[in-house]
Amino acid sequence: MESSQVIVITSGKGGVGKTTSTANLGHGLAEQGYKVCLVDADIGLRNLDVVMGLENRIVYDLVDVVEGNCKLRNALIKDKRNENLYLLPAAQTRDKDAVQPEQMIELNRQLREQFQYILIDCPAGIERGFKNAIAGADAAIIVTTPEVSAVRDADRIIGLIEAAEIPAPKLIINRLRPDMVKKGDMMDIDDVIEILAIDLLGVVPDDESIIVSTNRGEPVILDKHSRAGQAYRNISRRIAGEDVPLMDLSSPGLLEKLRRLVGGK
Amino acid sequence: MGALIDFVNKLLNKDDVPSKDLAKERLRLVLVHDRATLSPELLMTLKEELINVLTKYLEIDVAGLEVNLDRADDTVALVANIPVKSVRRA
């Protein structure tokens, strides 16, 4: 496709929300009408399928495609809710050595023919799986939480992304808790940006609805009332080039809550 | 209740510095080392070799010698504090 983009979503540290972000941004871009493919590059630890609620539809996987056991179109799974969105699942019974960086580049080449956005969910860590996942990517999104361990690992990943000559990685700060920021018990957006010195793509507030929606296998972006869902919707519009201001994350005061209750909002 | 505990802690002078400031400061320091890819072992070797070179020209107080990577804004500097006892005659 003309102007297709391969974006790797990575973090270094595990458990900061890479897979959740990949699923939600995929939906967000597909909702805007783009043809989107999500690639689970975490070979051996397949997860994107369950987060998207597509785990029962898998027949073939990424390793089958690169080894030529099946055609790409046989391995692609169409999303339940959005016909613009597809998933290429990871192999569950293989290890990271089953794929080479050159094979990922070739896979991306094939995906570019059919999709405008290819989002690659990268495994945690900085070894083989990471190097495979970033091979041939045009852009990188780094996910972190405002915690020392996650920020430190994000810094390391930014160094490796720059060394791989992928231009200007962008940052998503996940699980921000405005109440803790207010008390001085959590680093705020400016603190994290100052330390990592990269561009901010968006901020996702900590939100219980993410856990609930993941339990159901429905990305939170489909929940119109969720603040995290709204944040992901904003981020996906920014990825597509739109200028969307950061949402106001300050938690509403008691009076505002009452007003909303009375106002029925 | 939480507010009361916070207030008592303030009275007792605990939690003087917001914990996020501690987080930021600790990260700043650890990243200086991470980014410079100088491990503590490497820094120790650097220090020993510096001493070897310096003692050719100066008599220095080895015990008082300090070598550290320091960061100000976006630059990293190697800061060495080297007490000199005397200068060797040429």
Side-chain angles (χ1 to χ4, degrees):
Chain A
M1 283 224 168
E2 82 289 357
S3 78
S4 67
Q5 210 183 7
V6 178
I7 305 174
V8 61
I9 296 172
T10 181
S11 68
K13 187 175 179 299
V16 299
K18 277 184 299 293
T19 302
T20 306
S21 296
T22 307
N24 281 291
L25 296 177
H27 266 281
L29 286 163
E31 259 173 37
Q32 294 174 67
Y34 296 105
K35 295 271 281 172
V36 183
C37 183
L38 306 182
V39 178
D40 189 348
D42 202 348
I43 313 289
L45 292 169
R46 176 200 279 170
N47 262 331
L48 190 52
D49 55 338
V50 281
V51 171
M52 297 181 74
L54 299 174
E55 66 274 21
N56 294 327
R57 305 186 178 196
I58 297 175
V59 183
Y60 296 108
D61 57 50
L62 188 154
V63 175
D64 289 321
V65 176
V66 300
E67 288 184 347
N69 299 334
C70 70
K71 292 253 192 287
L72 175 60
R73 64 183 155 82
N74 300 100
L76 290 173
I77 299 162
K78 191 196 263 189
D79 186 67
K80 288 179 197 169
R81 300 163 199 86
N82 197 317
E83 58 173 20
N84 289 328
L85 183 62
Y86 286 79
L87 167 70
L88 179 59
Q92 181 69 331
T93 53
R94 302 292 295 270
D95 64 30
K96 320 246 183 233
D97 297 335
V99 182
Q100 303 292 324
E102 305 76 48
Q103 292 174 313
M104 281 302 289
I105 293 170
E106 169 56 23
L107 179 68
N108 286 337
R109 191 193 61 73
Q110 291 182 46
L111 289 168
R112 282 175 200 272
E113 290 172 3
Q114 301 177 46
F115 297 101
Q116 283 159 300
Y117 285 99
I118 296 136
L119 304 187
I120 302 191
D121 185 19
C122 184
I126 54 173
E127 288 88 23
R128 189 69 170 268
F130 167 75
K131 299 210 163 105
N132 283 333
I134 66 168
D138 304 312
I141 294 175
I142 318 280
V143 183
T144 189
T145 60
E147 292 159 290
V148 285
S149 51
V151 174
R152 185 189 193 178
D153 289 358
D155 189 79
R156 185 99 164 83
I157 287 293
I158 292 165
L160 294 171
I161 290 285
E162 284 170 354
E165 294 181 350
I166 298 171
K170 294 202 163 52
L171 188 71
I172 292 179
I173 301 176
N174 195 15
R175 294 205 202 114
L176 191 85
R177 290 187 49 180
D179 55 327
M180 291 190 73
V181 169
K182 205 170 163 190
K183 280 196 275 180
D185 278 333
M186 183 176 267
M187 286 185 283
D188 62 26
I189 301 167
D190 293 339
D191 294 328
V192 177
I193 291 296
E194 187 190 324
I195 288 167
L196 293 178
I198 64 171
D199 289 343
L200 182 68
L201 182 62
V203 180
V204 182
D206 193 33
D207 189 342
E208 289 179 6
S209 60
I210 293 222
I211 295 170
V212 177
S213 66
T214 308
N215 286 343
R216 297 201 166 109
E218 295 168 356
V220 75
I221 196 165
L222 301 171
D223 176 355
K224 301 289 179 217
H225 303 290
S226 158
R227 306 206 359 114
Q230 182 61 50
Y232 278 123
R233 221 166 293 128
N234 292 350
I235 293 169
S236 57
R237 284 166 60 196
R238 284 185 205 118
I239 292 173
E242 214 178 312
D243 194 7
V244 186
L246 277 183
M247 60 194 251
D248 178 18
L249 291 171
S250 56
S251 42
L254 186 62
L255 209 64
E256 179 59 23
K257 277 183 190 159
L258 275 175
R259 197 175 293 141
R260 284 185 195 178
L261 214 64
V262 174
K265 272 176 105 180
Chain B
M1 193 61 197
L4 184 64
I5 290 169
D6 285 350
F7 181 67
V8 171
N9 276 340
K10 279 221 176 80
L11 276 187
L12 295 174
N13 214 8
K14 274 189 200 165
D15 291 348
D16 223 358
V17 183
S19 68
K20 75 125 180 182
D21 290 343
L22 292 175
K24 210 173 154 185
E25 193 47 40
R26 290 174 55 225
L27 260 174
R28 216 191 277 280
L29 287 172
V30 81
L31 288 184
V32 166
H33 287 265
D34 286 0
R35 285 175 186 170
T37 56
L38 261 189
S39 62
E41 296 81 43
L42 218 66
L43 201 61
M44 190 55 82
T45 317
L46 171 74
K47 205 168 157 179
E48 279 163 15
E49 290 188 18
L50 262 182
I51 292 171
N52 288 341
V53 173
L54 291 170
T55 46
K56 280 199 219 164
Y57 306 95
L58 307 161
E59 194 184 331
I60 60 171
D61 175 11
V62 175
L65 180 122
E66 275 176 46
V67 178
N68 277 305
L69 280 176
D70 217 340
R71 185 183 135 156
D73 296 324
D74 281 335
T75 55
V76 178
L78 182 71
V79 179
N81 189 359
I82 307 158
V84 177
K85 285 182 180 163
S86 69
V87 179
R88 294 198 197 281
R89 286 190 193 93

